[in-house]
Amino acid sequence: MINITDKHKCCGCTACVSVCPKDCISMLEDNEGFLYPVVDSVKCIDCSLCEKVCPVLHPLKNESEPLVFAAINNDESIRMQSSSGGIFTLLAEYVIDRGGVVFGACFDRDWNVVHDYTETKEGLAKFRGSKYVQSNVGNSFIQVKTFLDAGREVLFSGTPCQVAGLKNYLRKPYLNLLTVDLVCHGVPSPYIWRKYLQETVCRVYGIKKNKSVVNLCDYISDISFRAKDRGWKKYNVKVIYRNGKVEMMPYFENPYMNVFLSDLSLRQSCYACPAKLHNVQSDITLADFWGVDEVYPDIYDDKGCGLLFIHSKEKLDFLFRMNCRLLHQKLDIVVNYNPNILRSVNEPINRKFFWAVYCSQNLQVSYLITISKFVFMRIIRSIFRCL
Ligand SMILES: Cc1cc2nc3c(=O)[nH]c(=O)nc-3n(C[C@H](O)[C@H](O)[C@H](O)COP(=O)(O)OP(=O)(O)OC[C@H]3O[C@@H](n4cnc5c(N)ncnc54)[C@H](O)[C@@H]3O)c2cc1C
Ligand code: SF4
Ligand code: SF4
Ligand code: SF4
């Protein structure tokens, strides 16, 4: 049976929970707010299915070289609502037009990030845009299988490890399944996200800091991690409050994004990712084409340019009929601008220190203390080296 002793070795995909014939695995939150499987050993019959489907214990190889394209949706409005080139919506609309179902990550009522599905084009809006929080997959894998077995076309989108987990759980290829993942930096803690939103709401509404805000939906009406109002490269975190206030903060000034991009708040499996390019199990991977301004200055307009990696070449045809511009790219060139395609980020040496400080301080203060300690230690080390 699954027994997590090293948190680097569980990406939280839920394949084990979904496959268990005795329904005896629950996903429980740890002290960092990430979900891990815990087995009820009294009900367990030792069938080992949970271990067999785990994408960390049994990662599959991806031997094929992907076809890579720069990709821009011709619909300006959809592109502006999306994080990069707006290609996810085109793929999803293709499946909806054929009577299919689309799964993706969205906010729930209280701004937690969860997986859900839709059968309509209007329903796709909630999936648009990157949410920099690990999504709770819930029972999506079981729902996907039910739709597939009923003969419906399904698009499942998520992080590469979620797609790898789904493929392992399904245990056979389905012609009616299209899987789309993302080049993934890593996923931050849902606990930090919840606490950050609480701090933000207290500040904006002048609520006492020690008072817990229960229904965040009563205070916040919209959130975008990647608002392009002031451009794609220098994107802003945008929060619209129910009192009419709109806050736009460049990502490099936002404490939540600072902690995320310093890799302090990531799930531990993201430092040893089981689903980078050579293990990717999706049909299509989407990403930002950072560097497009240098490679293709003539198409660069700072409204977002995506990358499209095609791993299943037999599913190529419809892509060329989509309402978008596609420009063929060389893998080694785009990797130069986006190392997360191939490599996991390094685990920061000050990660434990950050979490210890965060027990008693708010996010901004914890970040500043952690970074200051790091800089201080480097200065001391360089002084000793000079002596
Ligand atoms: C946590 C995270 C880290 C990323 N890291 C990188 C990176 O390092 N480099 C890079 O080039 N691109 C990264 N991306 C992907 C990139 O930002 C764009 O999402 C991607 O290029 C698709 O953009 P789009 O404009 O086509 O569609 P959009 O409409 O912007 O994307 C929507 C898609 O993202 C999925 N999605 C959104 N949030 C989540 C989530 N929390 N978990 C799972 N799926 C989610 C939705 O299900 C949907 O499929 C990351 C995305 C996420 C969510
Ligand atoms: S060994 Fe079988 S019964 Fe036990 S937890 Fe794993 S899948 Fe469930
Ligand atoms: S990686 Fe997925 S399948 Fe493996 S133990 Fe974690 S949740 Fe279960
Ligand atoms: S970095 Fe890897 S392990 Fe972490 S969420 Fe992304 S795909 Fe999963």
Side-chain angles (χ1 to χ4, degrees):
M1 76 177 92
I2 284 288
N3 179 21
I4 309 299
T5 51
D6 176 357
K7 288 188 176 170
H8 295 87
K9 294 191 175 153
C10 172
C11 57
C13 68
T14 73
C16 54
V17 182
S18 310
V19 82
C20 177
K22 287 290 166 189
D23 221 3
C24 62
I25 312 181
S26 315
M27 294 298 281
L28 300 184
E29 216 175 272
D30 74 349
N31 58 342
E32 294 181 355
F34 292 108
L35 297 173
Y36 290 89
V38 176
V39 176
D40 176 346
S41 53
V42 177
K43 284 207 232 156
C44 171
I45 53 167
D46 267 329
C47 67
S48 302
L49 276 176
C50 49
E51 291 165 43
K52 283 188 189 140
V53 299
C54 175
V56 177
L57 293 176
H58 301 285
L60 297 173
K61 275 260 164 242
N62 169 27
E63 309 282 1
S64 69
E65 180 87 347
L67 281 170
V68 186
F69 295 91
I72 296 177
N73 190 331
N74 288 332
D75 184 326
E76 285 287 301
S77 155
I78 297 289
R79 181 155 68 114
M80 289 303 283
Q81 294 163 41
S82 311
S83 290
S84 47
I87 297 301
F88 160 73
T89 300
L90 287 173
L91 300 170
E93 284 181 345
Y94 169 78
V95 171
I96 299 272
D97 278 340
R98 293 160 63 90
V101 188
V102 173
F103 284 75
C106 59
F107 291 111
D108 72 4
R109 262 185 99 237
D110 270 326
W111 303 103
N112 303 298
V113 179
V114 296
H115 256 70
D116 197 1
Y117 71 86
T118 184
E119 297 171 71
T120 67
K121 285 188 184 173
E122 297 71 46
L124 293 175
K126 64 183 174 189
F127 299 140
R128 272 196 279 279
S130 296
K131 288 99 188 163
Y132 294 127
V133 187
Q134 181 163 39
S135 74
N136 185 337
V137 178
N139 62 352
S140 297
F141 286 9
I142 294 167
Q143 290 173 322
V144 167
K145 187 171 184 316
T146 307
F147 281 122
L148 290 173
D149 288 338
R152 296 283 294 278
E153 288 202 15
V154 174
L155 183 158
F156 180 88
S157 68
T159 59
C161 61
Q162 288 168 342
V163 170
L166 173 68
K167 287 281 182 87
N168 276 17
Y169 159 69
L170 291 171
R171 283 184 294 165
K172 65 170 191 183
Y174 281 85
L175 287 175
N176 46 341
L177 174 64
L178 183 70
T179 48
V180 179
D181 61 15
L182 321 143
V183 164
C184 185
H185 182 106
V187 282
S189 147
Y191 169 67
I192 294 191
W193 175 237
R194 278 196 305 271
K195 221 173 133 195
Y196 169 71
L197 284 184
Q198 295 260 344
E199 286 167 11
T200 307
V201 163
C202 287
R203 173 176 50 75
V204 169
Y205 285 86
I207 300 169
K208 276 197 187 134
K209 285 209 179 93
N210 52 5
K211 205 175 160 224
S212 168
V213 179
V214 184
N215 297 318
L216 285 166
C217 59
D218 292 341
Y219 300 89
I220 296 172
S221 67
D222 199 16
I223 299 178
S224 168
F225 281 95
R226 295 275 302 261
K228 296 176 176 174
D229 309 43
R230 297 174 186 158
W232 168 60
K233 271 203 132 175
K234 291 188 178 160
Y235 59 88
N236 280 242
V237 179
K238 182 174 179 180
V239 183
I240 305 181
Y241 298 92
R242 296 219 181 266
N243 63 4
K245 188 175 164 89
V246 179
E247 255 185 3
M248 292 260 281
M249 207 185 279
Y251 73 90
F252 46 85
E253 287 175 12
N254 181 288
Y256 182 83
M257 293 302 289
N258 284 333
V259 171
F260 165 40
L261 295 172
S262 316
D263 307 328
L264 293 164
S265 57
L266 302 184
R267 189 179 177 102
Q268 290 184 55
S269 58
C270 301
Y271 309 119
C273 175
K276 290 291 171 196
L277 188 66
H278 297 302
N279 297 96
V280 110
Q281 295 305 309
S282 62
D283 298 309
I284 290 166
T285 299
L286 299 174
D288 290 286
F289 189 178
W290 303 125
V292 62
D293 46 337
E294 288 173 26
V295 181
Y296 280 116
D298 44 326
I299 64 163
Y300 175 65
D301 59 6
D302 205 20
K303 291 181 184 169
C305 180
L307 281 174
L308 179 68
F309 297 76
I310 300 165
H311 309 291
S312 307
K313 305 204 174 71
E314 66 284 1
K315 295 188 179 161
L316 189 74
D317 263 16
F318 83 94
L319 298 168
F320 287 112
R321 295 195 300 273
M322 295 192 310
N323 180 28
C324 63
R325 277 175 281 168
L326 294 177
L327 292 163
H328 189 253
Q329 302 300 312
K330 286 202 173 121
L331 181 62
D332 52 346
I333 293 187
V334 299
V335 166
N336 279 337
Y337 295 98
N338 206 333
N340 294 334
I341 294 169
L342 291 180
R343 284 197 306 273
S344 304
V345 295
N346 292 326
E347 184 160 359
I349 47 169
N350 46 2
R351 186 182 188 279
K352 265 198 189 134
F353 178 80
F354 163 78
W355 278 95
V357 176
Y358 188 55
C359 285
S360 57
Q361 302 291 338
N362 73 24
L363 194 58
Q364 178 128 31
V365 172
S366 308
Y367 175 69
L368 290 175
I369 293 177
T370 306
I371 296 302
S372 314
K373 184 193 171 219
F374 182 67
V375 173
F376 178 74
M377 293 306 286
R378 285 189 82 153
I379 294 171
I380 296 287
R381 242 180 261 137
S382 57
I383 291 172
F384 273 107
R385 241 180 263 133
C386 295
L387 288 177

